[in-house]
Amino acid sequence: MTRLRVVNLALPKTGTTTLTDALRHAGLTVADWRIRAGQSRNKDLKGMHLGKILYADYFATGDPLARLGEFDVINEMSAVREDQSLWPQTDWGLLSAIQTHHPEVKFILTTRNPAKTADSVMRWNNLGKRRLPAADVPGLPRGFGRSEDELARWMTAHYAFCRRMFEGESNFMEYDIEDPQAPAKISAYLGVDLPWWGRSNVGTPATLPAGAMQKGYSQTSAALH
């Protein structure tokens, strides 16, 4: 039986933490945004952002997932700070390399209404007001992204990019985080039961399975989620 591996192509504030928590409840091992203490046997990965790992291994070996074999799911790959701007989910070369080295991977795209997402980005710490406009982001060059309209246009273009790249492929699906049928669609696509579904960035989620905190589960979303 082929092992299930999943890569999410989503942008920030589209519901990635909800997917992380749902898949952890389903028993999958998820790497989300960065590798936290206790999540990997490879001590060199502790604290590293996924984007940095993916790019380092892509250029060193050709395989972006070379050091991430412990994880079933790669989610929230992007990182934007003063010293780096990493967006693997927008990179045709890197994503193609994953397909080549890991044909079993199922790609998924979490989407959300671009206007609503742009509003969330603007209200999320300094992500929309300072970090994105100050960074060089694929499709959103430095100096752009200061308005919700610009952010929404960038997000819409990313969705179009993903649809074009995976057009006709059976290992790609997208879902709207606000779709009531989203859990059923994800479950059918991945072939796993989802015992929990909710909104991880507000309120208190359902009771966690044993050991979930050690796997990096958080009741509130982290920096870019």
Side-chain angles (χ1 to χ4, degrees):
M1 181 177 178
T2 302
R3 173 191 173 193
L4 175 62
R5 301 198 73 185
V6 183
V7 172
N8 192 4
L9 307 171
L11 294 175
K13 304 307 296 176
T14 56
T16 55
T17 305
T18 291
L19 182 65
T20 283
D21 293 342
L23 295 181
R24 282 179 176 154
H25 274 281
L28 298 179
T29 303
V30 184
D32 185 311
W33 192 54
R34 71 162 65 197
I35 306 300
R36 295 169 174 82
Q39 288 187 315
S40 174
R41 293 185 295 272
N42 186 343
K43 295 181 179 179
D44 293 338
L45 298 184
K46 180 182 176 181
M48 288 186 66
H49 288 102
L50 287 179
K52 185 67 174 291
I53 299 169
L54 291 166
Y55 271 114
D57 290 355
Y58 171 53
F59 285 110
T61 71
D63 178 7
L65 301 182
R67 288 183 290 170
L68 293 171
E70 299 171 275
F71 299 96
D72 303 314
V73 183
I74 305 300
N75 193 21
E76 184 50 275
M77 298 184 282
S78 52
V80 57
R81 307 185 316 188
E82 293 180 357
D83 62 336
Q84 63 181 5
S85 180
L86 304 170
W87 301 84
Q89 66 268 59
T90 69
D91 191 324
W92 186 293
L94 186 144
L95 297 177
S96 296
I98 292 176
Q99 283 191 300
T100 298
H101 288 274
H102 305 276
E104 78 282 3
V105 164
K106 292 191 173 186
F107 293 89
I108 196 166
L109 173 63
T110 306
T111 68
R112 184 184 177 201
N113 178 282
K116 291 182 179 180
T117 309
D119 175 70
S120 293
V121 169
M122 283 298 190
R123 291 185 288 105
W124 187 255
N125 297 324
N126 61 1
L127 178 58
K129 295 180 179 178
R130 184 172 68 83
R131 280 187 287 157
L132 284 175
D136 286 312
V137 178
L140 196 70
R142 188 183 303 266
F144 294 90
R146 297 185 185 278
S147 72
E148 291 184 20
D149 285 345
E150 291 179 352
L151 289 173
R153 187 179 298 275
W154 168 62
M155 294 168 190
T156 300
H158 176 65
Y159 297 163
F161 161 77
C162 293
R163 291 165 186 151
R164 176 61 66 89
M165 178 170 183
F166 293 96
E167 186 175 9
E169 299 288 348
S170 61
N171 65 335
F172 171 79
M173 73 90 69
E174 65 175 276
Y175 70 95
D176 187 325
I177 192 65
E178 296 181 342
D179 180 1
Q181 297 302 312
K185 293 177 180 178
I186 296 168
S187 180
Y189 173 60
L190 299 183
V192 298
D193 293 328
L194 298 182
W196 177 88
W197 186 260
R199 293 181 63 191
S200 296
N201 59 342
V202 294
T204 302
T207 302
L208 299 177
M213 290 302 294
Q214 284 71 26
K215 293 182 179 180
Y217 181 97
S218 62
Q219 293 183 351
T220 58
S221 56
L224 288 184
H225 300 41

